Amino acid sequence: QVQLVESGGGLVQAGGSLRVSCAASGPTFSRNALGWFRQAPGKGREFVASISKSGTITDYADTVKGRFTISRDNARNTVYLQMNSLKPEDTAVYYCTARVDYGLGYEAFKTSYEYEYWGQGTQVTVSS
C-alpha cells in the first residue's frame, strides 16, 4: 500500500511559479511510476505530467509542455511538479498518483485508470 501526500499548493499571480510536492510512504517508491493530474471546477480530471520508474522518461500534456517539469527524488520518496509561467487556466486541484511498474521502468503512464494510488490533492489558484 502506498500513501501519497501533496503539499505546496497556494495562490499565485499569472506568470508566477509554484512547486508542488508529493511525499510517498512505503518502501516501494523506487518501483513506482508517478504522475500528476488536475481537476478544475466543473471539469473532469486531466493528465498533467508523468515520470517513469527509471526517472529517464517524462511525458506532459500539451497545455503544460515547456512550462511544467516533473521530477523525482527516490532518496526522499518524493515527486515534484515545478510550474512556471502559470496561467489562470492552470487553476485546479492537483493530484499525485503512483503505480507499481513491473516492467523495465521506461514507460511514463498518462491515463488515470493506469494508476493505483492517489493523493488527496492540493489546490493551486492562479489569479489574473
Side-chain angles (χ1 to χ4, degrees):
Q1 187 75 13
V2 176
Q3 291 186 329
L4 304 170
V5 179
E6 300 95 336
S7 62
L11 174 64
V12 63
Q13 287 189 330
S17 298
L18 201 63
R19 188 178 78 163
V20 291
S21 304
C22 174
S25 64
T28 62
F29 183 81
S30 63
R31 296 169 54 193
N32 291 332
L34 304 161
W36 287 94
F37 286 71
R38 67 187 182 185
Q39 187 166 14
K43 296 187 177 181
R45 191 169 296 188
E46 65 173 359
F47 169 74
V48 176
S50 60
I51 187 166
S52 63
K53 179 176 70 173
S54 66
T56 58
I57 306 298
T58 57
D59 198 3
Y60 296 91
D62 288 342
T63 52
V64 308
K65 201 169 293 184
R67 301 187 296 121
F68 290 11
T69 302
I70 187 172
S71 61
R72 64 187 296 161
D73 184 341
N74 287 350
R76 296 178 183 273
N77 277 17
T78 301
V79 59
Y80 304 97
L81 184 68
Q82 176 67 44
M83 302 181 288
N84 299 328
S85 301
L86 282 161
K87 304 175 181 180
E89 52 263 44
D90 294 318
T91 295
V93 177
Y94 283 71
Y95 297 92
C96 170
T97 186
R99 59 160 288 163
V100 177
D101 183 358
Y102 297 100
L104 297 177
Y106 297 108
E107 185 172 0
F109 302 92
K110 59 188 301 181
T111 56
S112 59
Y113 65 81
E114 295 180 288
Y115 287 93
E116 301 171 81
Y117 307 104
W118 294 83
Q120 83 290 348
T122 186
Q123 177 70 47
V124 172
T125 302
V126 184
S127 63
S128 57

